[in-house]
Amino acid sequence: SRRNVVAAAAALLLSPTGTWALAPFTRHAPRRAFRLGASSPPPADLPGPLEHGEAYPDLEFVDYEEGEGVEWGDGDDLFPRMGSDAATDREVEEMRETQRVQNDVFQFQTYHQKFLEGREWRGEWTVYRTSTFMEGFEDVVDENGAPRLMRSDPIRAISTGTKIVTDASLPDYGGEHIRHSERYVPDPSPDDGPAPPAAQEEEPAPCWPAELDVYGFRGPQGNMFVGPAYTTCDADPATPRAAPAGRVPHALLGEAHAGPFSALRPELGIADGDVRMRVKLDYRAVPDGVPRAHPRLRL
């Protein structure tokens, strides 16, 4: 799914060495301080259940080794099982959806305020292409049999983002969306000075939805904001299909954005003050001429 691809790439981006970093931890299994049994008689100086009962007459002591007369329960009195009561299921799902919507709004608003509002990002892209999609180099591989990475000319970009309000009356900012913009400019001429901004004839495909709304931060779509970092994603379905009308029920959201895709374009970004680093990944179907229900995507 989009989220799995973005999460895996984010782990590589945010790790300084490009590898997984696992924090050490120790898990201790619960154990008794002592165990009574036929093969292990209690020491003479160790108080038994009778002595404990005498010392604490208001408490009830249960010998769990016996197992008889012990009411374990299954917790249904506190947490009813899903499916046991339709009305309860609806109430629980409504509570969960309320929490999801609150998280959607937080991510939508914070992403816009922190990375886009009042900002114009100017930078230079270092572009790497794989031999898989370069004419005349399709069969070129490295010593491990993987496609070769070839560095091409850098491009200069000016990136902005604007929040568009189409219906302010809708609750939870449902009538708002973010529209990204990225203009590519030519290199400045050394003789005539900096050239005025002008769009290139061919621009890279976007790595974000055309209209990124509040619901777009639900998770499976691949858009997320965490601390100083964010991810956005856009994809082309392998077979043309109409976008679902309205919001897809949460239970079906993962399936609706699971593919298959003919192209997948995630972006990962991390910012510190006025400095931002971004990584764009452009996955495309291998042009082998073989029709496939699930196209093979390569970077």
Side-chain angles (χ1 to χ4, degrees):
S1 68
R2 302 189 194 187
R3 178 169 53 184
N4 294 337
V5 172
V6 171
L12 296 178
L13 170 65
L14 301 179
S15 175
T17 60
T19 58
W20 293 93
L22 300 179
F25 69 94
T26 304
R27 176 177 295 173
H28 297 281
R31 57 183 179 181
R32 290 182 173 83
F34 60 90
R35 181 182 180 90
L36 302 179
S39 60
S40 176
D45 59 345
L46 191 62
L50 181 60
E51 286 75 7
H52 282 303
E54 293 176 349
Y56 305 99
D58 296 334
L59 301 181
E60 178 185 1
F61 291 88
V62 179
D63 186 0
Y64 290 98
E65 294 295 330
E66 296 296 333
E68 296 182 2
V70 179
E71 185 70 26
W72 293 103
D74 55 9
D76 281 355
D77 53 336
L78 298 177
F79 304 101
R81 293 180 178 177
M82 295 297 290
S84 61
D85 184 276
T88 301
D89 291 352
R90 287 193 298 269
E91 184 178 355
V92 171
E93 180 58 27
E94 289 175 0
M95 295 170 58
R96 291 174 175 170
E97 182 64 17
T98 299
Q99 294 295 322
R100 297 186 193 114
V101 171
Q102 291 177 355
N103 182 66
D104 297 342
V105 171
F106 169 77
Q107 294 204 51
F108 175 79
Q109 295 286 60
T110 309
Y111 170 74
H112 174 258
Q113 294 171 3
K114 191 165 186 175
F115 297 103
L116 301 176
E117 187 175 22
R119 288 180 175 269
E120 184 180 79
W121 300 92
R122 296 172 178 260
E124 183 177 90
W125 285 108
T126 302
V127 182
Y128 293 88
R129 303 182 186 278
T130 60
S131 55
T132 305
F133 298 98
M134 298 186 67
E135 186 176 356
F137 296 90
E138 294 87 352
D139 298 328
V140 176
V141 296
D142 60 14
E143 58 274 10
N144 298 315
R148 293 291 300 270
L149 282 176
M150 302 182 181
R151 183 171 177 173
S152 60
D153 295 335
I155 57 177
R156 296 172 179 267
I158 300 176
S159 304
T160 58
T162 306
K163 183 189 290 187
I164 308 297
V165 180
T166 56
D167 189 347
S169 65
L170 294 179
D172 301 318
Y173 303 93
E176 300 182 4
H177 65 266
I178 294 173
R179 183 172 297 167
H180 296 81
S181 174
E182 203 154 70
R183 293 183 294 128
Y184 300 92
V185 300
D187 292 334
S189 171
D191 298 329
D192 303 330
Q200 290 186 338
E201 294 182 359
E202 182 178 355
E203 299 180 356
C207 295
W208 49 73
E211 296 182 354
L212 179 56
D213 60 8
V214 173
Y215 194 59
F217 285 90
R218 181 56 60 94
Q221 302 95 320
N223 309 303
M224 186 173 296
F225 157 78
V226 180
Y230 70 88
T231 62
T232 58
C233 186
D234 193 24
D236 300 331
T239 57
R241 59 177 183 264
R247 293 191 173 186
V248 179
H250 182 78
L252 304 178
L253 190 60
E255 181 181 350
H257 294 275
F261 302 114
S262 60
L264 181 66
R265 298 177 297 276
E267 174 182 323
L268 302 89
I270 185 168
D272 183 11
D274 292 333
V275 178
R276 181 171 67 162
M277 183 183 73
R278 302 161 67 191
V279 175
K280 294 176 180 282
L281 304 175
D282 188 352
Y283 292 92
R284 306 178 186 178
V286 177
D288 53 9
V290 179
R292 305 175 188 271
H294 292 77
R296 297 185 302 159
L297 300 184
R298 295 291 183 270
L299 187 62

PDB file of all heavy atoms in Angstrom, residues 241-246 248:
ATOM      1  N   ARG A 241     -10.145   4.065 -12.976  1.00  0.00           N
ATOM      2  CA  ARG A 241     -11.369   3.899 -12.200  1.00  0.00           C
ATOM      3  C   ARG A 241     -11.774   5.251 -11.623  1.00  0.00           C
ATOM      4  O   ARG A 241     -10.929   6.085 -11.317  1.00  0.00           O
ATOM      5  CB  ARG A 241     -11.178   2.874 -11.079  1.00  0.00           C
ATOM      6  CG  ARG A 241     -10.089   3.213 -10.080  1.00  0.00           C
ATOM      7  CD  ARG A 241     -10.057   2.167  -8.973  1.00  0.00           C
ATOM      8  NE  ARG A 241      -9.080   2.472  -7.948  1.00  0.00           N
ATOM      9  CZ  ARG A 241      -7.854   1.971  -7.936  1.00  0.00           C
ATOM     10  NH1 ARG A 241      -7.477   1.147  -8.905  1.00  0.00           N
ATOM     11  NH2 ARG A 241      -7.016   2.286  -6.964  1.00  0.00           N
ATOM     12  N   ALA A 242     -13.060   5.426 -11.500  1.00  0.00           N
ATOM     13  CA  ALA A 242     -13.566   6.698 -10.990  1.00  0.00           C
ATOM     14  C   ALA A 242     -13.316   6.797  -9.499  1.00  0.00           C
ATOM     15  O   ALA A 242     -13.378   5.805  -8.768  1.00  0.00           O
ATOM     16  CB  ALA A 242     -15.068   6.814 -11.278  1.00  0.00           C
ATOM     17  N   ALA A 243     -13.014   7.999  -9.059  1.00  0.00           N
ATOM     18  CA  ALA A 243     -12.805   8.226  -7.635  1.00  0.00           C
ATOM     19  C   ALA A 243     -14.117   8.019  -6.892  1.00  0.00           C
ATOM     20  O   ALA A 243     -15.181   8.403  -7.378  1.00  0.00           O
ATOM     21  CB  ALA A 243     -12.276   9.635  -7.396  1.00  0.00           C
ATOM     22  N   PRO A 244     -14.079   7.380  -5.724  1.00  0.00           N
ATOM     23  CA  PRO A 244     -15.326   7.148  -4.983  1.00  0.00           C
ATOM     24  C   PRO A 244     -15.962   8.462  -4.564  1.00  0.00           C
ATOM     25  O   PRO A 244     -15.292   9.427  -4.221  1.00  0.00           O
ATOM     26  CB  PRO A 244     -14.852   6.348  -3.759  1.00  0.00           C
ATOM     27  CG  PRO A 244     -13.394   6.652  -3.638  1.00  0.00           C
ATOM     28  CD  PRO A 244     -12.895   6.889  -5.022  1.00  0.00           C
ATOM     29  N   ALA A 245     -17.286   8.499  -4.624  1.00  0.00           N
ATOM     30  CA  ALA A 245     -18.010   9.706  -4.242  1.00  0.00           C
ATOM     31  C   ALA A 245     -18.049   9.832  -2.732  1.00  0.00           C
ATOM     32  O   ALA A 245     -18.387   8.876  -2.032  1.00  0.00           O
ATOM     33  CB  ALA A 245     -19.432   9.655  -4.803  1.00  0.00           C
ATOM     34  N   GLY A 246     -17.671  10.990  -2.223  1.00  0.00           N
ATOM     35  CA  GLY A 246     -17.660  11.205  -0.782  1.00  0.00           C
ATOM     36  C   GLY A 246     -16.524  10.454  -0.116  1.00  0.00           C
ATOM     37  O   GLY A 246     -15.575  10.008  -0.760  1.00  0.00           O
ATOM     38  N   VAL A 248     -14.722   7.428   1.755  1.00  0.00           N
ATOM     39  CA  VAL A 248     -14.769   5.980   1.813  1.00  0.00           C
ATOM     40  C   VAL A 248     -14.829   5.568   3.278  1.00  0.00           C
ATOM     41  O   VAL A 248     -14.108   6.117   4.108  1.00  0.00           O
ATOM     42  CB  VAL A 248     -13.517   5.374   1.147  1.00  0.00           C
ATOM     43  CG1 VAL A 248     -13.544   3.855   1.230  1.00  0.00           C
ATOM     44  CG2 VAL A 248     -13.422   5.834  -0.296  1.00  0.00           C
TER      45      VAL A 248
END
